[in-house]
Amino acid sequence: MAKKMGRRARKFAKKNLQSVMKRKRKLNALFQKKFAPRQEKSDSPEESKNLKNDMQTPVDPEQEILDGIVSTNPFGDLFIKEDDDSGADVSDSDGYLSEDPECPYISEDEEESCPEEMCKDVVLLEQNTEINQRLKNQKRKLSKLCKKDPQFSKFLESRRSEFLKSKSEEIYSDDEGDTSSMDDEYIVGNEISQVSKVITSSTVDVWCWLVMEQPNWPGLANLLNAFRAACHYGLDTGEVSPVKIANREVFCKILTFVLSEAKGIFCGLLRISGFSNKETILKMKNKPEWKTTRSLIKSFLRSSLFLLNQETDNQILVFVLSQIRLSILLFSAFPSLTKKLIKISIHLWVTGDKDLSASSFLILRDIASEFSLDNIDTCLTKGFGAFIANSKFMKPQNIEHIEFLENSVVELYSLDIQKSYQKVLMSVQQLASILRLALKTKEKDELKKIHSWQYINCISLWVKFVSCNYKNHDLQQLLFLIIGVIKGIAHLFPGPRYLPLRFKCVKMLNQLSFSSGVFIPVESLLFDCLEIRGTNNAEGTKLKHLDLALLLKVPNQLLKSQDFQQASVLSAIKLLAEHLSQWCYHVSFPDLATIPLILLKRFHENTSIESVRRPVKRFIDQVQQNSDFIQRKRDQVSFSPKDKESVDSFLQLEKCDRSAAFTKFYDNMLQNALA
């Protein structure tokens, strides 16, 4: 157990989990305090008991990630499932391939490592030596505790036996079938020569040439072992390797060649033209070529996953993902490796930069569209959970990234509507139950769940999903359920302080109305900003820029500022223009525009803020002009409002040409907003 804690948790946590590193620092301080040199002679039974309790609560990195998602995701717990392979490890479950003894190794007399590289390697070695020394010290202190406390010793022995049993089950464990035949293809650590062969640049060049000239060259296993060593380059894994990478030039050569040529090499060995679909790979499993190639493919895929899990350079990660995508159908033969690829891709998708997130999403989309139903479900579940967990805060720095994540999840769920519809419906029903409880109790904790970014982003996600798929699928039940939830949110938080939240609700309602063609009245949710009192004469806080898109609730000190009034009025005009533009050719437009015109004219007469008066006056003129135009056209027709067919065909020619003045006004407004 201690071995598992010391290696896996440290590696994973150092790169990804700040919470684990924080806990680790506390534990280190605790160990240093308990086992200081001046207290070695005074070990008490109480200390032994405390340490025993600490050892009884091990930290599993995978479980801590899952706990983090669940704790930050009150709206997606229906989607979170325990992983079947949470104990599996990408790096340690595979061994080196049996090498060809006749494979050429070319030694070079000149020193290939530059001084800077040697210095960096020395630093890494010193750090690894220090870590190993600390582990030895803790192991020695644990042995002392075992002698003092027999029950603690029995506890460690039981945990050690369980760990060894699970570890033996992990080795070569795959869901695709029996792996007993693989024992001859790998060599275990005690069979590896203690003297590692150094892979030089000239050796790599010769191997690459031989592989390209002779696809069935038996030395391919040597090249894949070198690729595995390159994926572990710079890491002290504690295992004996038959090969050693000379320097970074060799590292780059091996990675570039193997990743770029892997698809062609394996297609040649399997005697197929390409990986058209997963059925091609599944049919190959019954042919003799697969039995000889399987271990090579598995070694390549596992090494690639280890590299993705350890590498921190975004450019290298993007390159690796792009090359893995070319051979991604090979993962269909290894279900356990597919699950690990999904995990790694989800992590890179939500934490990487723009290019890395896009490359990771392409991997997820290919898996969801080409692989089995279980993998599709995993992609949908983990994708939604990761999106909710990473949309807790909205800042100028991450708003674009969250929008990309939202579009990505919508695209994943849109691949197969029949499979994803029930998941979406369950999520919206859960959101509705949270809202229903908040409306009933009005408790502070329940209200906080509603006006939170996670709740609003979750609603926005499903609004976009319905908008993208409503015309091609029957989503009417989901549409009206979402409309009810959004209206409930808007009415739950009245007053000017929650105007940004209601503006977001109006924007989502406009989006649903535009995509479905259903009329959704929103005017009453917009005009609270026109009734703010004490704004004109108050000396409010003056800000350079107030972005309501980043707020759900306005701070008290900004409520009476001119900046807030200006931003809220302009936002209301923009949303009202978006709403009216959908119905500017409808026969009922004059009736729809009557109340907004009355309220806006009254506001224009009373306000003294010149930066608000001009856009309001221009908007009033455009709405009035379009209302008069529709009224003239309406006076010329003879059908009644009950004639639905004639009402729907009213001004269809003008609507197709987009010739109305209000349409051009709204298009100019959008262009100015983008500029």
Side-chain angles (χ1 to χ4, degrees), residues 14-249:
K14 187 173 183 180
K15 181 180 177 184
N16 300 302
L17 300 178
Q18 296 181 0
S19 59
V20 174
M21 290 300 295
K22 183 178 180 181
R23 185 178 184 276
K24 182 174 177 293
R25 287 193 295 269
K26 291 183 178 179
L27 288 177
N28 289 339
L30 182 63
F31 276 120
Q32 292 174 3
K33 182 178 180 180
K34 286 184 177 180
F35 303 109
R38 55 189 174 84
Q39 295 181 353
E40 285 185 355
K41 297 182 180 180
S42 60
D43 294 332
S44 63
E46 183 178 357
E47 291 176 341
S48 302
K49 184 178 180 180
N50 292 336
L51 182 57
K52 179 178 178 180
N53 293 334
D54 292 337
M55 294 297 295
Q56 289 176 343
T57 57
V59 177
D60 187 352
E62 301 285 354
Q63 185 62 34
E64 187 137 345
I65 293 177
L66 184 62
D67 295 341
I69 292 178
V70 173
S71 63
T72 57
N73 178 18
F75 320 113
D77 55 334
L78 291 174
F79 297 91
I80 300 299
K81 297 180 181 178
E82 293 290 342
D83 295 327
D84 297 332
D85 60 341
S86 60
D89 186 75
V90 175
S91 60
D92 299 326
S93 59
D94 62 327
Y96 284 91
L97 296 166
S98 299
E99 294 192 345
D100 180 17
E102 299 181 358
C103 183
Y105 283 87
I106 302 175
S107 61
E108 297 183 0
D109 297 333
E110 62 273 12
E111 186 68 28
E112 295 193 13
S113 298
C114 63
E116 295 181 358
E117 294 175 350
M118 293 180 63
C119 292
K120 293 181 180 180
D121 293 340
V122 169
V123 173
L124 289 175
L125 289 175
E126 291 179 353
Q127 293 177 353
N128 293 334
T129 303
E130 183 181 354
I131 293 174
N132 290 330
Q133 187 62 36
R134 290 177 60 189
L135 291 175
K136 290 179 181 179
N137 293 336
Q138 291 196 11
K139 187 175 181 181
R140 185 181 67 255
K141 293 169 183 177
L142 285 174
S143 63
K144 290 178 61 178
L145 287 175
C146 290
K147 294 178 181 179
K148 288 189 174 185
D149 192 343
Q151 293 183 356
F152 182 53
S153 178
K154 293 179 181 179
F155 167 76
L156 287 181
E157 287 297 331
S158 63
R159 300 297 293 177
R160 184 181 294 109
S161 61
E162 292 177 5
F163 170 73
L164 292 176
K165 182 179 178 180
S166 63
K167 186 67 176 178
S168 62
E169 293 175 354
E170 288 175 11
I171 298 179
Y172 314 128
S173 61
D174 279 313
D175 302 336
E176 67 275 10
D178 184 22
T179 58
S180 59
S181 62
M182 295 300 298
D183 295 339
D184 296 334
E185 301 294 336
Y186 289 97
I187 52 178
V188 294
N190 55 9
E191 297 177 358
I192 297 176
S193 174
Q194 296 296 327
V195 180
S196 300
K197 298 178 181 179
V198 178
I199 306 298
T200 62
S201 180
S202 300
T203 303
V204 175
D205 293 336
V206 173
W207 286 1
C208 295
W209 180 80
L210 288 173
V211 169
M212 298 303 295
E213 293 293 325
Q214 306 174 20
N216 293 323
W217 178 55
L220 178 59
N222 300 55
L223 180 60
L224 291 176
N225 280 343
F227 175 69
R228 185 181 189 278
C231 293
H232 290 71
Y233 181 67
L235 297 174
D236 184 12
T237 58
E239 63 181 4
V240 181
S241 171
V243 294
K244 182 180 179 181
I245 304 300
N247 52 36
R248 285 175 174 79
E249 180 186 356

Side-chain angles (χ1 to χ4, degrees), residues 561-608:
S561 66
Q562 289 188 359
D563 295 282
F564 171 60
Q565 185 186 26
Q566 179 179 346
S568 59
V569 171
L570 295 180
S571 298
I573 290 176
K574 182 179 177 181
L575 292 171
L576 185 59
E578 183 180 22
H579 172 67
L580 295 177
S581 67
Q582 301 176 34
W583 310 102
C584 62
Y585 297 96
H586 199 270
V587 68
S588 62
F589 183 84
D591 309 302
L592 179 64
T594 299
I595 295 179
L597 284 174
I598 294 174
L599 295 177
L600 287 174
K601 288 178 181 178
R602 183 187 304 168
F603 173 79
H604 181 263
E605 293 175 357
N606 296 331
T607 186
S608 60

Side-chain angles (χ1 to χ4, degrees), residues 277-279 325 328-329 361-373 375-377 379-380 411-412 415-416 419:
N277 50 54
K278 69 175 183 178
E279 284 73 17
R325 190 179 174 220
I328 194 171
L329 287 176
F361 170 70
L362 293 177
I363 294 287
L364 295 172
R365 189 183 64 180
D366 290 347
I367 294 175
S369 58
E370 299 289 344
F371 284 46
S372 63
L373 179 61
N375 292 317
I376 297 174
D377 186 74
C379 289
L380 298 181
E411 186 170 348
L412 284 178
L415 292 175
D416 195 328
K419 296 175 183 176

